[in-house]
Amino acid sequence: MGRPWKSLKIINRRHGVLTLVLLLLAGLAGMALIPQRSVLTVDEMAAWQAAHPFLQQVVGEWGLDRIATAPWFLLLLLVLLLALLGSLASQATIALQRTRQLLAGRHSGREGQAALSSPGNGAEASASSVPPGLWRLPAIVACWGSPLFHLGLALVMVSSLLLVTTEQRAVFRLHEEETQAGDEAPLHEEHGLFARPLALPGAVRLEQVRPEYWPDGALKQLTSYLTITEGADSRHCRLAINQPVVEQGVRLQQLENYGKAFFLTISSQASAASVALLIKQPREAGRAAYGTFIFPASPYEIKAKYQPWSPADNGPQNNLLTLRLENDKGVEGQLLLALGETGRLGPYTVTVRHVSNWAEFAASHARGRAGIVTGFLLIILGSALLYLYPGSGKGPGWNNWIGCQPFCL
Amino acid sequence: MNSPLFTNTVLHWGAVFLYVLGTIATAWGIIFQRPGVEKAGFRLMVPGLLMHGLALGLRWLDSGHGPYMVKCEVLSSDAWLALGLFLLLARFVPALRPASLIVFPAVFLLVAISLFLNPAIQELPPTLRSIWLVFHVAFYKIALATLLIALACSIFFIVKSRWLQVNWLGRLPELPALDLLAYRFTSFGFVFWGIAMLSGSVWAYQSWGRFWGWDPVETWSLLTWVGFGLYLHLRRFFQWAGEKAAYLSILCFLLSIASLFFTALIESSAHSSYFS
């Protein structure tokens, strides 16, 4: 006891809680108004920094472009959680006292109403008696509305913190017949403070990607067929958007990014290279798909475009690829090729060898999901008890709603 | 002429017409102290609400999904829910009736704006096919409706406290009642906003594999929720009441509008690709 206990008491006092809430608001306002690294792509961030050099200096110096992962922000959330737990304890104590009083039936008339009202909440106590007989039961249950609400909030916060610190997530992109080895670096990886990078449940091979479309060309569903191989054992699974699969505790999800992969041979007088262009299909139906690729060991950039198939076309999938070769001087060449064709693009000869589909997947492992869902249900239950109990001894009546037990924080 | 979109547009314009008539009658009745005219105004809103509901229901049948994909149906359904909830509450809490001066014009303006947006039906992308999305959208709509009522009470508080000499303002509830109603409805909206955010998180985990990504829409939504939490905390523990509470309530409402309608347009947001 001593200083730590006194510190806990400070954060539970009204000024302490107010300070914490204001600090949280300031942090959130910073995240809302200042571009954050966790949200923007590297190129978008670089563009903002180039456009705002002075702001970038200030923002970079104070770490305001990564508030969500700043230690002070996590500490603030922890302290808020402690304050919430303190509030929960006092709410539960009050609810327990009222429950005992109601069970004992010690109060009636105005005394009963005073026992039901929280001190200092500014509500007018309506002149009604403690509910007699069976009506006492709903009154007892309703006493627990506020503690349940606080418990739900606390559970959500604890589960969120657990999730953030132990979460493992990886995004990988595969074209058909490509395999992602278990130890191969994914496209994108993130893990919590106390977690290691995610290990896939074996080598994952994408067998087929099958998109389905609505009549207007919009995506209806995206289904992928995978084979997961671990040693001599292999398993087949089917993924679709919103239809994940769990393999050895790892949740595999179909993401909505997909498109066409064009495999090219690009040759010059000196050498030849095999290049795979993975172009993302836009979400809007009927729009062309574009991609920009750096041509390795050259001053060039390749801009690629293809027109996705539309059901209205009544024809086979459109695999026509438009290529444009650019450098800092401008456009050096342009070419339109179908599968199997060869053409001249600037100083290079290009052949389209093969076309297939690609898709992105997420693999994740997270603890705390059950806590978040349970907390969610407790919040709903607590809110329902706070607002749907009429608060008057005369039974349900919306005219009494204004005078019922007010929302207590 | 027989196309579903044409029927939908006609029904919506019919509803707007009735809403405008109802608003004029209600305002006339309140300001000039004609209870009969006020009652007639409220009654006119009911067939408007039914017509509006029929339009939304037919659109739901045609599109195969709820009214949460395209901007015009989002605004229209927000207006319908706000009006339905207000009429229901005003039936049982007569002190709320003067809030119609704010709620009714807001409703018909929302519907009118929606009629000028592209009404083409958009199919539901696979990511949005989840029951959690339905909860997420429904709870946000309910939260917005209750916060709109709280806004009305806050505005009335400020107007009445500053212009006491204006006769018709005497028809509004007393200042303490307005203050209390604003508090109640804000706390109700606060709870539903929190539930809406949580259901969105569960849906995000189901679709994208992560509960929270500090997306601009998510951040602004949390900012709004904490803003309302600050309001409730100041009222509960610092006895904030009256004008300063009313101004804070209005500011938080503006945050909620920015959060719901404008942040989805930010390009870096995951929501923008569905709702732009």
Side-chain angles (χ1 to χ4, degrees):
Chain A
M1 299 282 189
R3 272 196 193 159
W5 185 242
K6 278 184 185 167
S7 307
L8 272 177
K9 281 191 167 180
I10 285 169
I11 61 171
N12 268 320
R13 289 209 180 111
R14 57 185 194 155
H15 286 97
V17 176
L18 181 65
T19 308
L20 290 172
V21 171
L22 285 171
L23 283 173
L24 179 63
L25 258 181
L28 291 172
M31 275 195 270
L33 299 170
I34 301 169
Q36 299 293 296
R37 287 182 185 277
S38 57
V39 176
L40 299 184
T41 63
V42 171
D43 291 339
E44 285 169 342
M45 198 67 196
W48 183 84
Q49 287 168 346
H52 305 88
F54 173 69
L55 271 177
Q56 155 55 22
Q57 229 179 337
V58 174
V59 162
E61 190 121 344
W62 289 89
L64 297 176
D65 53 355
R66 42 186 185 276
I67 293 173
T69 51
W72 65 264
F73 191 72
L74 288 174
L75 183 65
L76 174 64
L77 291 177
L78 266 173
V79 176
L80 264 169
L81 175 62
L82 285 174
L84 185 61
L85 290 172
S87 179
L88 168 63
S90 61
Q91 294 282 333
T93 307
I94 293 169
L96 199 58
Q97 283 171 358
R98 289 180 193 165
T99 302
R100 284 182 186 143
Q101 287 162 357
L102 284 166
L103 280 172
R106 281 200 289 269
H107 295 279
S108 63
R110 290 179 192 278
E111 292 170 352
Q113 189 56 41
L116 285 170
S117 298
S118 294
N121 57 27
E124 293 172 357
S126 57
S128 60
S129 57
V130 170
L134 282 176
W135 281 108
R136 205 176 293 161
L137 187 57
I140 292 168
V141 173
C143 286
W144 291 93
S146 188
L148 278 176
F149 181 85
H150 281 75
L151 178 62
L153 276 179
L155 195 54
V156 167
M157 269 191 90
V158 168
S159 303
S160 301
L161 283 169
L162 179 68
L163 202 124
V164 158
T165 51
T166 61
E167 183 183 31
Q168 298 164 299
R169 188 170 183 265
V171 173
F172 54 100
R173 179 188 291 171
L174 294 172
H175 57 77
E176 286 167 339
E177 297 174 11
E178 185 182 7
T179 301
Q180 173 90 16
D183 53 0
E184 202 177 325
L187 186 68
H188 173 76
E189 190 276 330
E190 55 191 10
H191 57 274
L193 198 60
F194 304 126
R196 289 187 200 146
L198 181 79
L200 285 175
V204 179
R205 177 183 160 92
L206 174 61
E207 304 293 353
Q208 190 189 25
V209 178
R210 195 191 295 168
E212 294 167 59
Y213 300 96
W214 293 106
D216 66 352
L219 183 69
K220 185 177 178 182
Q221 183 56 280
L222 185 66
T223 308
S224 295
Y225 296 89
L226 303 173
T227 303
I228 300 169
T229 307
E230 197 181 2
D233 178 42
S234 71
R235 307 175 287 284
H236 301 287
C237 63
R238 175 190 164 277
L239 286 185
I241 293 177
N242 271 333
Q243 296 171 31
V245 155
V246 178
E247 282 283 332
Q248 294 182 17
V250 175
R251 187 182 170 98
L252 294 170
Q253 265 164 294
Q254 173 76 61
L255 297 179
E256 53 200 351
N257 291 336
Y258 77 105
K260 284 242 172 280
F262 293 85
F263 296 87
L264 315 177
T265 302
I266 301 178
S267 52
S268 64
Q269 283 179 337
S271 60
S274 292
V275 168
L277 303 185
L278 273 61
I279 307 173
K280 184 180 162 187
Q281 182 135 339
R283 189 168 285 120
E284 299 85 358
R287 283 183 61 180
Y290 294 90
T292 301
F293 307 91
I294 304 295
F295 189 35
S298 82
Y300 295 110
E301 201 174 64
I302 296 177
K303 291 200 171 162
K305 169 191 162 184
Y306 80 93
Q307 187 66 41
W309 173 71
S310 167
D313 288 345
N314 277 330
Q317 287 199 322
N318 181 0
N319 290 331
L320 278 178
L321 177 68
T322 305
L323 295 171
R324 184 184 283 176
L325 195 71
E326 289 185 11
N327 59 12
D328 46 10
K329 292 176 191 165
V331 177
E332 290 266 335
Q334 188 156 318
L335 183 60
L336 180 67
L337 289 174
L339 175 62
E341 287 183 357
T342 300
R344 193 89 187 147
L345 183 69
Y348 302 102
T349 303
V350 180
T351 305
V352 179
R353 293 191 336 265
H354 178 57
V355 181
S356 69
N357 293 317
W358 65 268
E360 277 184 9
F361 308 92
S364 60
H365 180 251
R367 291 191 191 93
R369 183 170 176 244
I372 288 177
V373 175
T374 308
F376 173 72
L377 294 172
L378 285 173
I379 287 170
I380 292 177
L381 182 60
S383 318
L385 289 175
L386 276 169
Y387 286 101
L388 298 182
Y389 175 62
S392 148
K394 294 176 185 173
W398 286 104
N399 276 325
N400 294 319
W401 190 65
I402 291 174
C404 78
Q405 184 172 342
F407 184 82
C408 299
L409 277 179
Chain B
M1 294 283 274
N2 289 329
S3 78
L5 282 180
F6 177 77
T7 310
N8 198 266
T9 306
V10 166
L11 285 171
H12 268 98
W13 276 114
V16 168
F17 177 70
L18 288 169
Y19 288 163
V20 169
L21 285 180
T23 302
I24 293 170
T26 310
W28 187 282
I30 291 173
I31 292 170
F32 297 109
Q33 299 181 28
R34 304 277 172 88
V37 178
E38 184 192 333
K39 218 180 226 183
F42 265 83
R43 285 198 179 130
L44 273 171
M45 300 303 277
V46 175
L49 186 74
L50 292 172
M51 200 181 284
H52 190 177
L54 180 64
L56 287 170
L58 287 173
R59 190 178 168 100
W60 192 319
L61 282 171
D62 288 332
S63 65
H65 60 75
Y68 40 76
M69 267 303 296
V70 178
K71 273 185 230 165
C72 73
E73 62 192 15
V74 168
L75 289 177
S76 177
S77 55
D78 285 349
W80 186 83
L81 196 71
L83 181 64
L85 198 67
F86 174 74
L87 289 176
L88 184 68
L89 289 170
R91 169 77 178 82
F92 297 103
V93 186
L96 274 179
R97 293 172 76 96
S100 59
L101 288 172
I102 304 281
V103 175
F104 287 178
V107 161
F108 87 67
L109 274 173
L110 275 175
V111 180
I113 291 169
S114 77
L115 285 167
F116 289 101
L117 298 171
N118 183 2
I121 289 173
Q122 231 181 69
E123 300 289 358
L124 202 63
T127 315
L128 300 190
R129 255 176 268 134
S130 167
I131 189 68
W132 287 104
L133 173 68
V134 178
F135 290 144
H136 174 63
V137 169
F139 284 127
Y140 265 124
K141 289 186 189 296
I142 295 171
L144 181 67
T146 53
L147 292 172
L148 184 63
I149 298 170
L151 172 79
C153 296
S154 297
I155 290 174
F156 285 151
F157 186 97
I158 293 168
V159 165
K160 189 167 179 175
S161 62
R162 284 176 176 237
W163 287 289
L164 270 173
Q165 68 278 11
V166 175
N167 277 341
W168 73 266
L169 289 176
R171 293 283 319 279
L172 298 177
E174 295 303 318
L175 290 176
L178 282 172
D179 195 42
L180 191 62
L181 283 170
Y183 180 30
R184 293 269 189 259
F185 280 98
T186 302
S187 57
F188 197 61
F190 171 80
V191 168
F192 272 88
W193 193 281
I195 294 172
M197 271 198 311
L198 274 171
S199 51
S201 291
V202 175
W203 166 50
Y205 182 73
Q206 190 183 54
S207 293
W208 301 325
R210 57 138 189 86
F211 276 102
W212 193 269
W214 297 108
D215 189 81
V217 173
E218 292 168 350
T219 304
W220 276 89
S221 185
L222 183 60
L223 178 68
T224 304
W225 190 72
V226 174
F228 279 115
L230 176 70
Y231 167 87
L232 293 172
H233 185 82
L234 287 169
R235 290 212 62 142
R236 169 76 173 83
F237 294 106
F238 289 84
Q239 282 72 53
W240 262 45
E243 266 196 46
K244 54 185 176 184
Y247 280 120
L248 183 57
S249 172
I250 292 168
L251 178 66
C252 291
F253 182 82
L254 293 174
L255 264 182
S256 71
I257 294 296
S259 174
L260 285 176
F261 296 114
F262 295 105
T263 53
L265 304 175
I266 296 172
E267 216 174 286
S268 55
S269 163
H271 288 68
S272 69
S273 49
Y274 299 110
F275 304 117
S276 55

